[in-house]
Amino acid sequence: MSCHDVKLDESVLKKPNKILLIGNPNVGKSIFFTELTGIHAVSSNYAGTTVNFMEGRLTVGGKEYVLIDAPGTYSLEPSSEAEAVASRLMESGALAIVCVLDASNLERNLHLAMELRQHKIPLVFALNLADVAKRKGIDINAKLLEQELGAPVVETIAVKKQGLDELVLRLGEVLDSPKNCADSPCGSCSSCQYTEPGDKWLSAKEITSRVVKVNTANPSFLDRLGKKMVKPFPGLPIAFLALALLVGVVVFGGRMLRMPLIMLTDGLIIPFFRNLFEGIFAIFASEGGQLSYRYLFYDGGFQTGFRIFTDGAWMSADYGAYAAVGGFASVLLNVLIGEYGIFVISFQWIIALILPYVFSFYIGITFLEDSGYLPRVSVLFDNIMRKLGVQGGSLIHVFLALGCAVPAILGSRTATTKKEKMMIATVICFAVPCISQIGALVALMGAFSWWMSPLMLLFAMFLFVVVALIAGRIIKGKVDPLIIEVPNLLMPTPKTYFRKLWIRMRHFLKDAELPMLAAVFLAAILAGTGVLSIIANQAQVQMIVSGWLGMPEEAVVSLVLGIVRREMSVAPLLILNLTYLQVFVAGVVSLLYLPCLSVFGILAKEFKLRFAVVIFVGTVVSAIFVGGVINQIGQLFI
């Protein structure tokens, strides 16, 4: 792949005061970017987190520069779109480059350093993960390495902020004297003892042999455990244990967090708004003993009548009474505090239903990411995944998709073939629910029985296998062998862990809440104006929803709202009196149902509009077909 195949903003490429932050994947670049600029970049302990670049302001020596965090790359000869972005940024030039090296894997990192030297741009090297190298018995002579590379080398431990001040100081020295460095083979100001290499891998090996000494210290427990995790035993038992623990954290942690939120929303927030709007919409008062309408209140569901509170008693009101008290006012009250009212379901669905499970999921997945465990799962299951038509590295994107499908599909840019990218996107859209949807499904299933959630999990795994096998046959092309860096197994530092957890929750609130609120507004308007009743009463809709799927006609709201947000195809079902079969059918339909509109946009952008349309039509048809088949079979045993 040529770096010119990717399109980048020309204004970024032409910025005169930019500094590039470059390194292999998984060397801690995002942590450097966060600490140096104050912009919170989410860093994960596996390759492929950054598929684009981030930009922030960096002050060095009283001067302000633009620091650009390029995607992680192993080489400036790109084999993936992410590496092509890094190469394109390099070709655009820069005032200086901060190259982050992994001290525990120095030889592999030096290959990129050799390539950077050829660009004759001032360089500063951050020798990161120095603590991990020492844990492994690796002793690096940083001064000698500086002479070999002909550029400043600073030992750092980014997660502990060690060495960052010195790194900025040395960067300032390089920036202040660039003109004196132009004739140096590496563009730096130090004396170069090593000439421009021919075979970069050989050069990296020779430099490593001179600057690195390895003692015979016994490997630590984490190092020994990390090596065993990629073997069938005990790797497989550990993998299933990790999955069970993650599910447990999501299900039980979410349920525990949900209880106080339900008490807050149903016991305090919703009654407050209901009383507030009932008071505002008081339209008549009793005068001279004559009976008159006092408050208008929505009766709920798909009923066409209303109840009127008159002198202490509730009375049914027909459309005549409805018109007498003012049609517009009653509809507006309905939209605000009715069964699907904005100030009811916005709190019940978003805060009390979805938010607890999202937070619980991020607690578990953030730990797995920062520990470096996920790449080991990819290696462990690579043989199985290849039989499904994808490589083991695709599992990383699956884990990303459990949080949100959008970054997972964007992350597929690290894939080396078009088929693999399309396979990842297809599997995610058909068979991988996002955490918001998972939370809604767990709440729906858990309301009936503890075994419903594990049953749905098994079905989701079965669906994943089927979709992968079918997509592998339909999508033409090849899938390259798995080449993935297995990082060091680490115990996440508390400060970095909780900061990342907060950043993720903030991103969720920013990116997901607005679309969910849009779905809430849509539900309130459709229900409050009676449009939803009209749709539900259509013969074709009843034939699909009630006849084929076996669901009550009110379930049509799930299909409508699911177009806006995937989890909204589940939330309306919580207030319906469903049977066990109906609950499972509803879960299957929601699992397969089309992704949200933001995913459609990403699919159209990353691939083509035709591919996005095929995915959307395919998910809708398969959801209704598979859900109906399960219902029809289930009816035979009832």
Side-chain angles (χ1 to χ4, degrees):
M1 176 179 289
S2 170
C3 64
H4 296 286
D5 292 338
V6 299
K7 296 180 180 180
L8 296 176
D9 188 350
E10 290 296 325
S11 63
V12 174
L13 298 176
K14 294 179 181 180
K15 285 187 177 180
N17 62 333
K18 67 175 180 284
I19 298 172
L20 298 181
L21 183 62
I22 290 182
N24 286 180
N26 198 46
V27 295
K29 286 192 306 89
S30 296
I31 300 176
F32 278 91
F33 183 80
T34 296
E35 298 297 342
L36 294 176
T37 66
I39 296 177
H40 298 297
V42 176
S43 58
S44 301
N45 208 2
Y46 53 81
T49 300
T50 308
V51 296
N52 214 317
F53 61 86
M54 295 194 66
E55 178 183 334
R57 298 288 175 179
L58 169 64
T59 301
V60 181
K63 299 179 181 179
E64 190 174 83
Y65 301 89
V66 176
L67 182 65
I68 296 179
D69 179 15
T73 180
Y74 294 104
S75 173
L76 296 181
E77 299 175 359
S79 60
S80 69
E81 187 172 345
E83 291 186 341
V85 172
S87 298
R88 185 75 178 92
L89 288 169
M90 270 300 306
E91 285 195 355
S92 69
L95 292 179
I97 298 172
V98 177
C99 178
V100 183
L101 304 174
D102 180 358
S104 63
N105 292 284
L106 185 61
E107 182 178 332
R108 186 203 62 220
N109 284 241
L110 285 179
H111 176 266
L112 177 61
M114 298 296 103
E115 292 185 314
L116 292 175
R117 284 161 52 106
Q118 293 180 323
H119 286 263
K120 296 187 179 181
I121 299 174
L123 276 162
V124 177
F125 292 97
L127 190 61
N128 198 34
L129 298 171
D131 54 338
V132 177
K134 291 180 180 179
R135 190 185 78 190
K136 292 184 172 183
I138 300 173
D139 184 21
I140 299 177
N141 188 331
K143 292 295 183 182
L144 180 57
L145 179 61
E146 183 171 306
Q147 295 176 10
E148 294 282 356
L149 294 177
V153 175
V154 180
E155 290 187 273
T156 62
I157 305 175
V159 294
K160 299 179 181 179
K161 297 185 179 181
Q162 294 182 14
L164 297 183
D165 291 338
E166 184 183 353
L167 179 66
V168 174
L169 180 64
R170 300 299 296 275
L171 177 61
E173 294 174 356
V174 169
L175 289 168
D176 287 339
S177 55
K179 294 182 180 179
N180 299 327
C181 312
D183 297 329
S184 173
C186 59
S188 184
C189 304
S190 301
S191 60
C192 255
Q193 291 189 357
Y194 203 82
T195 58
E196 192 61 47
D199 187 334
K200 298 180 181 63
W201 284 114
L202 179 60
S203 302
K205 182 176 182 180
E206 290 177 352
I207 293 176
T208 302
S209 66
R210 287 194 286 270
V211 303
V212 173
K213 291 183 180 179
V214 181
N215 60 43
T216 56
N218 293 325
S220 67
F221 170 75
L222 287 178
D223 292 330
R224 295 195 304 271
L225 180 62
K227 291 181 178 180
K228 291 179 179 179
M229 282 179 170
V230 298
K231 299 178 180 179
F233 186 84
L236 286 175
I238 292 175
F240 289 118
L241 177 61
L243 178 62
L245 290 174
L246 180 61
V247 172
V249 168
V250 173
V251 174
F252 296 106
R255 184 175 298 177
M256 291 179 61
L257 292 172
R258 191 184 175 206
M259 292 174 61
L261 289 176
I262 290 177
M263 295 175 61
L264 176 65
T265 57
D266 290 7
L268 183 62
I269 298 177
I270 294 175
F272 168 79
F273 283 106
R274 180 163 284 157
N275 291 332
L276 174 65
F277 286 112
E278 284 179 5
I280 294 175
F281 278 77
I283 52 177
F284 289 109
S286 178
E287 296 179 0
Q290 183 180 0
L291 191 66
S292 61
Y293 297 124
R294 187 169 181 81
Y295 294 101
L296 182 66
F297 194 79
Y298 179 57
D299 194 51
F302 285 73
Q303 299 178 18
T304 58
F306 293 82
R307 291 190 298 176
I308 308 301
F309 187 72
T310 66
D311 291 350
W314 291 103
M315 297 178 60
S316 295
D318 56 13
Y319 276 109
Y322 170 78
V325 297
F328 176 77
S330 61
V331 170
L332 183 57
L333 186 65
N334 207 0
V335 169
L336 292 175
I337 57 171
E339 186 179 15
Y340 289 97
I342 294 171
F343 289 90
V344 176
I345 59 177
S346 59
F347 297 111
Q348 288 179 339
W349 291 0
I350 299 177
I351 295 179
L353 170 62
I354 294 171
L355 204 59
Y357 294 101
V358 171
F359 183 70
S360 299
F361 171 78
Y362 282 142
I363 287 176
I365 200 66
T366 300
F367 181 86
L368 293 179
E369 286 179 341
D370 284 3
S371 66
Y373 178 65
L374 295 186
R376 289 170 167 80
V377 176
S378 298
V379 174
L380 185 64
F381 287 94
D382 183 54
N383 288 334
I384 296 176
M385 295 297 292
R386 295 199 73 80
K387 293 179 180 179
L388 299 179
V390 292
Q391 58 169 242
S394 300
L395 282 175
I396 289 179
H397 303 292
V398 171
F399 277 102
L400 274 176
L402 291 174
C404 179
V406 172
I409 294 173
L410 289 174
S412 67
R413 291 177 180 174
T414 58
T416 55
T417 67
K418 184 177 180 180
K419 176 177 180 176
E420 186 179 352
K421 290 178 62 177
M422 295 179 72
M423 287 279 293
I424 291 170
T426 302
V427 170
I428 287 173
C429 291
F430 274 89
V432 183
C434 68
I435 182 54
S436 300
Q437 188 181 12
I438 292 173
L441 284 171
V442 169
L444 178 65
M445 303 292 168
F448 284 78
S449 177
W450 66 268
W451 55 265
M452 292 287 286
S453 294
L455 181 62
M456 184 55 62
L457 174 62
L458 292 175
F459 181 81
M461 291 181 174
F462 169 75
L463 187 62
F464 180 91
V465 172
V466 172
V467 171
L469 288 173
I470 295 175
R473 292 181 178 273
I474 295 176
I475 301 174
K476 304 301 180 183
K478 66 173 184 176
V479 176
D480 290 339
L482 174 65
I483 300 177
I484 188 172
E485 178 182 357
V486 180
N488 302 295
L489 193 65
L490 302 171
M491 185 60 67
T493 57
K495 182 177 180 180
T496 303
Y497 173 82
F498 286 110
R499 181 175 62 185
K500 182 175 181 178
L501 186 61
W502 161 243
I503 292 171
R504 280 213 149 135
M505 287 303 301
R506 190 178 65 184
H507 284 175
F508 172 80
L509 293 174
K510 177 182 177 182
D511 299 334
E513 289 295 324
L514 285 179
M516 284 193 287
L517 283 174
V520 166
F521 272 79
L522 179 62
I525 293 173
L526 291 178
T529 58
V531 174
L532 206 55
S533 291
I534 296 174
I535 296 175
N537 290 328
Q538 294 295 315
Q540 295 87 346
V541 173
Q542 289 184 349
M543 182 177 65
I544 294 174
V545 176
S546 302
W548 177 245
L549 295 177
M551 302 292 292
E553 64 179 21
E554 294 91 336
V556 70
V557 69
S558 298
L559 301 180
V560 174
L561 297 185
I563 299 174
V564 183
R565 285 286 301 182
R566 221 174 182 182
E567 66 274 8
M568 291 304 178
S569 64
V570 184
L573 302 173
L574 292 171
I575 59 177
L576 302 180
N577 186 23
L578 303 179
T579 65
Y580 282 96
L581 177 59
Q582 288 175 328
V583 167
F584 189 75
V585 170
V588 170
V589 172
S590 173
L591 188 65
L592 274 164
Y593 202 52
L594 54 83
C596 55
L597 293 177
S598 57
V599 175
F600 181 86
I602 291 297
L603 290 174
K605 179 182 177 181
E606 291 295 306
F607 303 98
K608 293 181 179 179
L609 180 61
R610 178 183 176 185
F611 181 78
V613 171
V614 168
I615 290 292
F616 265 59
V617 173
T619 52
V620 173
V621 172
S622 60
I624 295 175
F625 175 76
V626 175
V629 168
I630 292 176
N631 173 58
Q632 300 302 321
I633 295 175
Q635 293 290 346
L636 299 176
F637 298 94
I638 296 179

